[in-house]
Amino acid sequence: MASERTTAIVTGAASGIGRAMTLGLLGAGIDVTAVDRAAAWLDELKAAAGGGPGQLKALQADLSEPSSFERIVTAVLGSAGRIDILVTNAGIGQGSIRADQRRNPLRFWEITPAQWERFVAVNATAPLMLARAVVPHMLAARRGRIVTVTTSLGTKPVTPMTKIRE
């Protein structure tokens, strides 16, 4: 049975702007399924969410896994019966490949094919595939909103380009 409460999915929900959006939606009385790959971060988010008017459900998922999209949608529809808002916020940057990338810049020729595939899967493919899984339900309900958050910080140089050393 579909709930009358507004229901949102937020990816990358346990840190940064995703965390802020999740807490804001909960504070506005919107029920949120918070999706993140780090279980410990989701636990911290649950503690921070407290007893606001919106209800929080945490769902651990790795958006580089193609099976995650239907699993997320199925879980939300199973508990809430509807999806009104999708916020695709999850993303990874150069820091996911090299933690000290600000001091030791990552050069494109150092990236392995597997690292590049994961980068593209999370940053480009996941928002599209999750929207693809959600839109039919929004169309059937004749309502819904999709917000996509993106950045170029993971791909643009933040310091002058370094010369290729011979």
Side-chain angles (χ1 to χ4, degrees):
M1 181 172 167
S3 167
E4 293 303 315
R5 297 175 56 92
T6 301
T7 302
I9 299 169
V10 179
T11 66
S15 64
I17 195 168
R19 178 184 171 107
M21 288 187 289
T22 297
L23 295 173
L25 290 167
L26 291 167
I30 296 171
D31 294 342
V32 178
T33 297
V35 178
D36 208 287
R37 65 184 168 96
W41 290 0
L42 286 167
D43 290 340
E44 291 174 17
L45 177 63
K46 285 184 215 173
Q55 295 177 359
L56 177 69
K57 289 191 169 92
L59 181 60
Q60 186 179 2
D62 182 344
L63 297 180
S64 68
E65 301 279 334
S67 62
S68 66
F69 314 118
E70 285 300 326
R71 186 170 65 83
I72 292 165
V73 171
T74 298
V76 175
L77 290 174
S79 65
R82 62 192 289 164
I83 301 169
D84 301 297
I85 302 166
L86 169 63
V87 179
T88 59
N89 171 69
I92 57 174
Q94 295 175 12
S96 69
I97 297 171
R98 180 181 289 158
D100 68 341
Q101 58 88 24
R102 295 233 186 248
R103 288 186 311 279
N104 184 13
L106 185 64
R107 293 167 181 91
F108 73 88
W109 61 88
E110 298 171 335
I111 300 170
T112 68
Q115 290 167 329
W116 178 250
E117 287 173 13
R118 180 168 174 74
F119 190 80
V120 171
V122 173
N123 293 340
T125 304
L128 179 65
M129 291 296 107
L130 192 51
R132 181 179 180 268
V134 167
V135 164
H137 304 285
M138 289 180 170
L139 289 172
R142 300 181 54 97
R143 61 178 286 146
R145 299 286 184 264
I146 298 175
V147 177
T148 300
V149 179
T150 185
T151 181
S152 62
L153 288 178
T155 57
K156 75 177 187 179
V158 292
T159 58
M161 296 280 296
T162 57
K163 287 185 177 180
I164 297 176
R165 296 181 192 137
E166 296 182 46

